[in-house]
Amino acid sequence: MIPQPCNKEVEKYLKRWDSLENYVLQERSLDKLFKDKFPHNTEIEDILIKVSTLNDFYSTNIYSVFPVAKHILEMNIDERLYGGDPTLVSEIAVVNISGKTKNFYSFASKYCSHHNQDQFPIYDSYVEKVLMYFRKVDGFSQFRLEDLKDYPIFKGVLVHFADYYGIKGYGLKDLDRYLWQLGKEFFPKKY
């Protein structure tokens, strides 16, 4: 049984996060890349290196990064990105590659989060599984699985999750790290 969410549990998992050297160093590297070196999305070369690195670190399975980078460039996203527009994630996610429409939803949430972690939580399968578990166990919120693929709803569910369980004093990035580790521990992928 998964422990009831609370500040103590969040703190426990955040301390555990700090001991995961590979993840901590990857996140620091991404912070340097996204925030220090290339905070804007106006040059294809800058976007391409961010997309490639994020794809590699997170294994987001984008097999052709150039069309994704070009799509981001053409969207002229910076104002919406730094303004925290949650509809941006779904727009970045949908890309046409060689005549086929692809939806890189998790990648898009990560791309936005690494630019503006205070406004863009990361969606991934582990977080999804934890949210679905606690919805079933405690009924903390009313949503369907497919609702989590609608980014404004997903973000709202996370905020409601924190409110429902009285998790206070933590940002969306902290909540990401807590939920991701919880999901990885209690819902491991079977390869």
Side-chain angles (χ1 to χ4, degrees), residues 35-128:
K35 293 177 183 165
D36 299 340
K37 299 289 184 189
F38 308 115
H40 303 291
N41 295 282
T42 55
E43 301 289 332
I44 190 68
E45 297 87 355
D46 299 352
I47 299 168
L48 193 53
I49 200 163
K50 290 187 288 188
V51 170
S52 297
T53 305
L54 200 61
N55 185 48
D56 181 59
F57 281 3
Y58 280 105
S59 302
T60 58
N61 297 318
I62 298 173
Y63 300 110
S64 185
V65 295
F66 179 74
V68 175
K70 189 173 178 193
H71 172 66
I72 291 169
L73 176 67
E74 291 169 351
M75 288 184 64
N76 192 23
I77 67 170
D78 286 347
E79 185 177 329
R80 293 173 65 200
L81 182 63
Y82 290 110
D85 179 355
T87 64
L88 182 61
V89 171
S90 295
E91 291 176 34
I92 289 174
V94 178
V95 183
N96 187 305
I97 299 179
S98 301
K100 292 185 180 179
T101 300
K102 301 286 187 177
N103 190 332
F104 299 118
Y105 180 65
S106 180
F107 165 82
S109 75
K110 291 169 172 95
Y111 192 85
C112 290
S113 181
H114 280 285
H115 281 94
N116 185 352
Q117 69 185 20
D118 295 331
Q119 294 296 318
F120 293 98
I122 292 175
Y123 169 88
D124 75 12
S125 61
Y126 289 129
V127 172
E128 174 189 283

Side-chain angles (χ1 to χ4, degrees), residues 1-2 13 15 20 23 29 53 60 67 80-81 87 93 101 117 119-120 133 136 143 148 150-151 158 176 188:
M1 182 163 185
I2 300 177
Y13 280 92
K15 283 184 177 150
L20 300 172
Y23 292 113
S29 298
T53 305
T60 58
R80 293 173 65 200
L81 182 63
T87 64
T101 300
Q117 69 185 20
Q119 294 296 318
F120 293 98
Y133 171 84
K136 182 179 178 184
F143 62 90
L148 297 177
D150 181 317
Y151 194 78
L158 280 179
D176 284 340

Side-chain angles (χ1 to χ4, degrees), residues 15-31 53-54 56-59 114 173 177 180-181 184:
K15 283 184 177 150
R16 189 177 294 171
W17 171 266
D18 289 338
S19 71
L20 300 172
E21 182 180 31
N22 57 327
Y23 292 113
V24 170
L25 291 175
Q26 281 184 353
E27 289 294 306
R28 282 189 199 153
S29 298
L30 289 169
D31 283 347
T53 305
L54 200 61
D56 181 59
F57 281 3
Y58 280 105
S59 302
H114 280 285
K173 190 66 165 183
R177 289 175 178 163
W180 180 79
Q181 288 180 90
K184 195 167 170 58

Side-chain angles (χ1 to χ4, degrees), residues 144-159:
R144 296 169 296 146
L145 176 62
E146 56 270 15
D147 292 336
L148 297 177
K149 297 290 176 91
D150 181 317
Y151 194 78
I153 293 174
F154 168 69
K155 183 178 176 182
V157 168
L158 280 179
V159 170

